[in-house]
Amino acid sequence: MVLERVWKALLAIVVVAVIGLLVLQIGLVSPPWAEDQAEVRVLDGDTGDELAAVDAKVADTPAERYTGLSDHDSLEDGDGMLFVHSSEDERTYVMRDMEFDIDIVFIDAGGEITAIEGARAPEAGENGNGLEYEGRARWVLEVPRGYANETGMDVGDEVEIEYE
């Protein structure tokens, strides 16, 4: 009888743990150890001079990456969003429900910019799903449109990320 209760208790603990892990993996809840903010510094690939420093909100769960900046009205210069993926891969970003234009900066696992795309907001009648921008990345940084050009960011520049 006692052994049966112990097994039932262990089974209940395992079930609760598995459900908890699934909820975290799906992104329904952010884990308490997840980073909320990061300082992203872009350094000239040749000289090492700092070109830009961006205070970025971190999107590191599937739900946060799906929503992205679509729940924002605008971004100020020096602000952005850093999308964090577990590995480097070809990434496609869309302008779903966006209200403003942005630059999308694709960064590989070594911290090097692989592509910069100027992305426009959807026009009336568009939802933005068809506005696709691709690049190879582990991290993707979104900043106000024109900010990459104004600061001199370019493919091959180095990126340093410090989580706050």
Side-chain angles (χ1 to χ4, degrees), residues 1 9 14 22-23 46 48 57 62 75 92 101 111 113 117 121-122 125 129 132 141 144 162 164:
M1 186 65 139
V14 168
L22 286 173
V23 166
D46 296 324
K57 181 176 179 187
L75 274 180
T92 301
D101 301 341
I113 295 176
E117 297 285 344
N129 285 327
E132 296 182 347
L141 177 65
E162 184 176 320
E164 299 173 356

Side-chain angles (χ1 to χ4, degrees), residues 8-153:
K8 286 182 180 179
L10 286 174
L11 180 61
I13 290 170
V14 168
V15 168
V16 168
V18 168
I19 290 171
L21 288 173
L22 286 173
V23 166
L24 289 174
Q25 185 65 28
I26 293 171
L28 296 176
V29 175
S30 293
W33 58 84
E35 305 293 346
D36 292 330
Q37 290 288 129
E39 180 180 351
V40 181
R41 295 178 347 123
V42 180
L43 309 174
D44 185 282
D46 296 324
T47 66
D49 293 338
E50 184 174 302
L51 299 172
V54 177
D55 183 26
K57 181 176 179 187
V58 174
D60 58 359
T61 68
E64 291 171 338
R65 288 191 298 263
Y66 182 85
T67 302
L69 291 170
S70 65
D71 62 353
H72 290 66
D73 293 327
S74 65
L75 274 180
E76 298 296 323
D77 284 349
D79 288 340
M81 181 169 276
L82 181 67
F83 296 80
V84 180
H85 299 276
S86 60
S87 63
E88 180 179 320
D89 204 349
E90 287 296 321
R91 307 277 175 207
T92 301
Y93 275 64
V94 298
M95 296 294 287
R96 178 178 32 276
D97 300 324
M98 287 291 293
E99 298 292 327
F100 55 96
D101 301 341
I102 58 174
D103 287 337
I104 305 173
V105 181
F106 295 89
I107 306 161
D108 69 14
E112 185 175 313
I113 295 176
T114 61
I116 300 174
E117 297 285 344
R120 70 170 177 83
E123 295 175 357
E126 287 182 302
N127 64 10
N129 285 327
L131 301 174
E132 296 182 347
Y133 301 89
E134 298 179 356
R136 184 151 196 86
R138 173 157 185 234
W139 297 278
V140 176
L141 177 65
E142 293 183 347
V143 293
R145 178 73 181 262
Y147 186 72
N149 190 44
E150 290 169 15
T151 59
M153 287 185 211

